[in-house]
Amino acid sequence: MKPLFLNPPTFEDFDGGAGARYQASREVTSFWYPTWLCFPAGMIEGSRVVDAPVQKFTLEDCLTIAKDFDMVVMYTSTPTLQIDIETARRIKEKKPGIVTVLTGPHVTILPEESLAAGKGAIDIVCRGEFDYSTRELCEGREWERVDGISFIRGGKTVHTPDRPPIEDLDALPFVAPVYKRDLPIKEYVIPHFLNPYVSIYSSRGCPSHCIYCLWPQTFSGRRMRTRSPQNVYEEIKWIVDNIPEMRELSFDDDTFTADRKHARAVAELIKPLGISWTINARANTDFETLKVMREAGLRHVVVGFESGNEQILKNIKKGVTKDQAIEFSRNCKKLGLSVHGAFIMGLPGETRQTIQETIEFAKRMDLNSIQASLASPYPGTEFYELCKQEGWIASDTFLDETGHQSCVINYPHLSNTEIFNSVEEFYNKFYFRPKYIARSVMKMITDSGERKKLLKEGKQYLEYMKKRKQAQQGK
């Protein structure tokens, strides 16, 4: 069978495809590559990857494209499941014989419920890593003999044996050639990256135990599996030679620095390439590892600080203290590394006082940029089980009608409205400080490209906040 790997159309600027952590429309246009879809696409002749939100393909566009394929593999998420099922239903109407497959963390955790919700529209759910499952399906293997899938047969749900996590990551194809073949490289933009950028994985899985983090608990696992440094180097060398427009490489690993020896080995190999690169790091990464990476071209680190309150960090099993985070940010400044800090509002233990503490914490570290999101208890996470047990989930609708995050958490001492409003307060108090404004003005004066970028992002941010507020008031 010839497969179409589809990141389906959803909301405008929806950043929730495979590889992304933030399943909602963003404050400023941001798109991650659909990397998970590109691995199996690189294995199967005649495949195609379509990233509808980035390529601005409508549902009708996707229906037209799907007619030329025998199977459509769609990446779905908890917030968009119903929309994606409807897309599959419409594809089935156009081509009844096509095999429809759903993948992603949500259907991995709730395969039977997902098949029931998609009755008549969804044929198969892939549980966990679906690289080899989809290839075997396309080769014509009987469904009962394909590990890691669920389907309905004779009115009953059939679950084949779990497929173990892939150990030999070097055996997987490079994703970059699939990007170049199927995707508009220049349309993938992350505001705090140099653009155009290209992202790859050097590993899968994360050994940390954060209770809220979706991927390690549901999909990629809490054991880190790495590609050999040489294999990583060879893909990056291919990118340098074949995607010359790339200005920055991003390692989209859950935590690139979880295996410091591997991180340093990769850095040493890619150093001669002379490229700028970014990573997802933990705030307990030591100075020497940061220094080795910096000398090899590392420019920017994305770090999940989550909260500025010590007890909340313990509640969520972050495994990093405030003092470690402060020391990490100091070390990055010493080395000239840019830091983008990610924070989550509404985690267990959040109060009006801790919200202010987190805002002051971010200001104290004086990060280059921040992202504030709402705590979302996705099924399959320890956070979800805790919220369910305590009765903290006020709604199962993670998005408003425009695709922006809704706050589904409601604590006895802190309402979901207060948590929702804390995001805007955080942004305003961080970005509208005299120190940050002065730094931004200086950039705009000295760099015309930076001026255009900041003005564009500022306009997008104000429009986003207006839509977000209107949606909240309309409830």
Side-chain angles (χ1 to χ4, degrees):
M1 293 190 289
K2 194 168 72 165
L4 171 66
F5 290 91
L6 175 64
N7 189 19
T10 48
F11 301 96
E12 183 181 3
D13 288 342
F14 185 85
D15 182 25
R21 275 49 167 184
Y22 193 94
Q23 298 174 2
S25 295
R26 294 291 294 271
E27 303 85 5
V28 178
T29 299
S30 305
F31 288 119
W32 295 91
Y33 284 83
T35 311
W36 284 98
L37 293 174
C38 294
F39 280 113
M43 295 178 175
I44 306 168
E45 189 175 346
S47 69
R48 178 178 173 182
V49 177
V50 166
D51 193 349
V54 176
Q55 294 172 293
K56 302 202 182 306
F57 286 164
T58 64
L59 176 57
E60 290 302 321
D61 294 329
C62 293
L63 296 178
T64 300
I65 293 167
K67 285 194 295 185
D68 294 330
F69 293 87
D70 309 302
M71 182 168 82
V72 59
V73 180
M74 297 201 307
Y75 176 86
T76 189
S77 67
T78 299
T80 65
L81 178 67
Q82 293 304 323
I83 299 171
D84 301 334
I85 286 173
E86 184 56 29
T87 297
R89 197 178 307 283
R90 293 289 305 278
I91 290 172
K92 281 277 195 185
E93 288 172 2
K94 289 280 187 180
K95 189 171 182 178
I98 198 167
V99 176
T100 51
V101 181
L102 285 185
T103 66
H106 184 93
V107 298
T108 294
I109 296 301
L110 299 170
E112 196 153 350
E113 295 85 343
S114 300
L115 285 167
K119 188 176 181 181
I122 305 301
D123 294 311
I124 297 171
V125 156
C126 281
R127 308 187 314 272
E129 295 177 343
F130 53 92
D131 312 77
Y132 289 110
S133 300
T134 48
R135 187 177 76 172
E136 290 168 7
L137 288 167
C138 286
E139 289 171 346
R141 185 175 296 195
E142 295 173 0
W143 293 4
E144 287 85 354
R145 294 179 55 240
V146 176
D147 287 346
I149 69 171
S150 301
F151 54 92
I152 296 174
R153 182 65 54 84
K156 294 183 179 180
T157 305
V158 177
H159 303 288
T160 63
D162 289 340
R163 183 177 291 272
I166 298 169
E167 297 297 333
D168 184 5
L169 298 183
D170 286 7
L172 294 173
F174 293 164
V175 291
V178 178
Y179 296 166
K180 183 174 175 65
R181 182 191 74 184
D182 291 344
L183 302 175
I185 304 291
K186 291 183 179 179
E187 298 301 316
Y188 287 90
V189 173
I190 301 292
H192 45 97
F193 288 2
L194 301 181
N195 292 291
Y197 82 99
V198 173
S199 72
I200 63 170
Y201 294 150
S202 74
S203 67
R204 290 185 179 184
C206 178
S208 302
H209 287 81
C210 309
I211 69 170
Y212 56 86
C213 195
L214 177 66
W215 288 79
Q217 295 184 77
T218 63
F219 201 76
S220 53
R222 279 179 160 160
R223 185 172 58 81
M224 188 178 187
R225 296 157 284 139
T226 57
R227 295 167 60 182
S228 68
Q230 181 64 32
N231 182 257
V232 176
Y233 165 82
E234 287 169 6
E235 180 164 19
I236 297 172
K237 181 65 167 63
W238 188 94
I239 294 168
V240 169
D241 291 342
N242 293 277
I243 308 180
E245 64 268 35
M246 179 193 77
R247 293 184 62 211
E248 190 152 77
L249 180 94
S250 165
F251 287 102
D252 195 26
D253 305 42
D254 285 310
T255 311
F256 184 78
T257 56
D259 183 336
R260 296 175 190 180
K261 182 179 178 183
H262 182 263
R264 291 193 294 267
V266 170
E268 294 290 3
L269 277 179
I270 67 176
K271 185 176 181 178
L273 296 177
I275 62 169
S276 175
W277 47 288
T278 77
I279 59 170
N280 294 319
R282 277 173 69 77
N284 58 3
T285 306
D286 62 283
F287 180 83
E288 284 307 313
T289 299
L290 288 172
K291 185 172 182 287
V292 167
M293 294 190 294
R294 176 62 175 150
E295 290 172 351
L298 177 66
R299 180 194 68 87
H300 181 64
V301 293
V302 181
V303 185
F305 294 108
E306 321 312 352
S307 175
N309 177 266
E310 203 71 70
Q311 186 57 51
I312 290 177
L313 293 175
K314 291 176 182 176
N315 293 344
I316 63 175
K317 302 181 183 178
K318 183 65 186 176
V320 177
T321 66
K322 280 181 69 174
D323 285 345
Q324 285 177 310
I326 292 167
E327 180 65 19
F328 173 87
S329 63
R330 283 178 185 153
N331 287 339
C332 287
K333 280 187 171 64
K334 286 179 192 173
L335 292 167
L337 287 167
S338 169
V339 181
H340 176 79
F343 296 86
I344 302 175
M345 314 309 286
L347 291 166
E350 193 80 277
T351 65
R352 297 176 188 90
Q353 290 72 35
T354 62
I355 287 170
Q356 298 308 314
E357 191 177 348
T358 295
I359 294 171
E360 291 305 313
F361 177 59
K363 288 163 62 178
R364 177 184 172 188
M365 290 192 291
D366 194 29
L367 307 170
N368 298 82
S369 56
I370 63 164
Q371 170 189 314
S373 57
L374 295 165
S376 294
Y378 291 122
T381 63
E382 191 177 338
F383 183 35
Y384 175 81
E385 293 304 323
L386 176 63
C387 290
K388 204 171 163 187
Q389 176 186 318
E390 298 293 335
W392 292 336
I393 300 178
S395 167
D396 59 359
T397 304
F398 289 84
L399 304 174
D400 64 31
E401 60 271 21
T402 57
H404 302 116
Q405 271 193 315
S406 295
C407 185
V408 303
I409 298 292
N410 201 49
Y411 296 118
H413 59 279
L414 188 68
S415 71
N416 53 2
T417 299
E418 289 176 292
I419 298 169
F420 182 88
N421 291 337
S422 71
V423 169
E424 184 172 2
E425 180 185 4
F426 195 164
Y427 280 130
N428 288 343
K429 287 185 174 179
F430 183 87
Y431 282 120
F432 295 119
R433 314 173 268 146
K435 186 175 183 179
Y436 190 88
I437 290 171
R439 193 159 58 214
S440 299
V441 169
M442 187 58 65
K443 285 181 183 177
M444 290 194 286
I445 291 172
T446 57
D447 187 333
S448 61
E450 191 70 15
R451 180 168 62 249
K452 290 177 185 176
K453 175 178 176 288
L454 288 172
L455 290 173
K456 179 182 177 183
E457 289 171 5
K459 182 182 178 185
Q460 288 178 342
Y461 169 76
L462 293 173
E463 289 174 349
Y464 165 88
M465 283 301 172
K466 183 179 177 181
K467 288 179 186 176
R468 184 178 184 270
K469 193 175 290 185
Q470 288 172 341
Q472 179 72 359
Q473 290 170 347
K475 285 188 175 181

